Amino acid sequence: PETGVRPTVTYVIATYFALYTLTGIGYGDVNPVSRAEFTMLIFMMLIGSLIWATIIGEIVNVMQHASIDEVQHQEATDAILFMTQEHDISLELNHKLLQYFSQVRASARVNFAKEQVLAKLSSSISVELVSELHGDWLKKVWWLKDVLHSRFLGNLVLGFDPAVYCPNELIHPTDRLYVVQHGVCIHGRVVLNKNQVWNVDFLLMQPHLRRLQTTVAISYLHVIYITKNRLDETLDHFPREKELVRKKY
């Protein structure tokens, strides 16, 4: 390197070796000689470091969002343990609480993944995906038979919300259409399991025309449901499908 004329040369060389060390590049066999070469390599190392920092930041960001449900689940578990110690909750109830939150986490993860994929697809592909994922139960809803190949189905499925019920929990008749995703329940006198539905007649305005029966969860019951208001809002965006559904009644 150049020596002994101007202090700026010394500072440039010092900066070069400091960055060389901090960035972990190491000391190679080929070294800069002139001040211009030192200056150019300083900028190259700074730019390379920024690019590398950006890549690492993106990786951390992806990992953080990928495990957000793990963080939330851990927070819920910690809260349960705190309540158990603070309020002297029985071990049996503590076990039930942990089991319930574990079931909720599993249900939310599955539905979140489906929604994220479905919401980003084009109309034609979303119809195919909906048929693959939900075709078994959609065919059991008799007022949907004329719209099974419509893009309306993608919006309909996105309108469903997940819910989890504990064993022996009662589910009273409401203005909701329920679909079993996992578990077993008894609706009236009928045993229901995966991809079976109840409250299909929830669109009827007169209660005396509906089969209002209480449902009992036999195991942990994972369901998705849609309310009448949510269905009406979705149908408002699809006049043709709305007319076809209304004709069924």
Side-chain angles (χ1 to χ4, degrees):
E2 298 173 355
T3 59
V5 180
R6 288 179 294 182
T8 54
V9 175
T10 304
Y11 285 115
V12 168
I13 296 174
T15 304
Y16 165 78
F17 278 101
L19 284 174
Y20 219 48
T21 304
L22 288 174
T23 56
I25 294 174
Y27 307 103
D29 296 330
V30 180
N31 297 307
V33 177
S34 67
R35 186 176 63 180
E37 291 175 349
F38 277 106
T39 303
M40 183 187 70
L41 288 176
I42 287 172
F43 281 108
M44 289 180 65
M45 285 188 287
L46 286 172
I47 293 171
S49 298
L50 289 174
I51 294 174
W52 182 240
T54 302
I55 294 173
I56 294 297
E58 287 298 319
I59 293 173
V60 171
N61 185 51
V62 169
M63 293 178 64
Q64 182 179 7
H65 283 81
S67 61
I68 190 168
D69 67 314
E70 176 66 30
V71 174
Q72 293 174 343
H73 178 68
Q74 190 60 50
E75 289 176 349
T77 302
D78 292 341
I80 292 171
L81 294 175
F82 175 78
M83 284 193 302
T84 301
Q85 297 170 357
E86 186 73 14
H87 301 284
D88 197 24
I89 296 176
S90 67
L91 290 177
E92 182 180 358
L93 179 55
N94 177 64
H95 180 66
K96 288 181 179 179
L97 289 169
L98 291 173
Q99 266 196 327
Y100 178 79
F101 276 101
S102 178
Q103 296 289 330
V104 168
R105 178 193 177 194
S107 176
R109 177 185 292 178
V110 171
N111 285 284
F112 178 78
K114 290 180 181 178
E115 289 175 4
Q116 287 298 300
V117 173
L118 191 59
K120 297 178 181 179
L121 294 178
S122 64
S123 299
S124 59
I125 301 179
S126 66
V127 172
E128 293 183 33
L129 182 60
V130 167
S131 298
E132 287 290 331
L133 296 177
H134 303 280
D136 288 342
W137 68 262
L138 284 170
K139 295 173 184 176
K140 297 172 184 175
V141 182
W142 51 271
W143 43 265
L144 286 177
K145 288 184 178 179
D146 291 339
V147 295
L148 286 179
H149 302 290
S150 167
R151 61 190 180 90
F152 156 72
L153 289 183
N155 294 67
L156 174 68
V157 170
L158 289 174
F160 279 78
D161 293 312
V164 177
Y165 296 96
C166 298
N168 300 319
E169 186 171 353
L170 299 180
I171 308 168
H172 298 287
T174 59
D175 62 341
R176 296 177 175 181
L177 169 66
Y178 288 93
V179 182
V180 180
Q181 290 199 307
H182 182 71
V184 180
C185 65
I186 297 178
H187 177 66
R189 297 181 179 179
V190 181
V191 177
L192 303 178
N193 51 31
K194 185 176 181 180
N195 288 329
Q196 293 188 298
V197 298
W198 80 87
N199 277 4
V200 179
D201 57 0
F202 78 130
L203 289 179
L204 292 172
M205 301 299 295
Q206 296 81 7
H208 66 277
L209 296 177
R210 296 178 57 193
R211 299 179 63 184
L212 301 176
Q213 297 176 315
T214 300
T215 305
V216 183
I218 303 302
S219 61
Y220 274 102
L221 185 66
H222 296 223
V223 301
I224 53 175
Y225 69 87
I226 189 170
T227 63
K228 184 178 182 300
N229 289 337
R230 188 68 176 273
L231 176 61
D232 289 338
E233 290 174 2
T234 306
L235 284 170
D236 286 340
H237 297 285
F238 299 88
R240 175 182 168 275
E241 285 77 6
K242 182 177 182 178
E243 184 63 25
L244 290 172
V245 169
R246 294 302 181 194
K247 283 181 178 180
K248 291 294 184 179
Y249 283 90

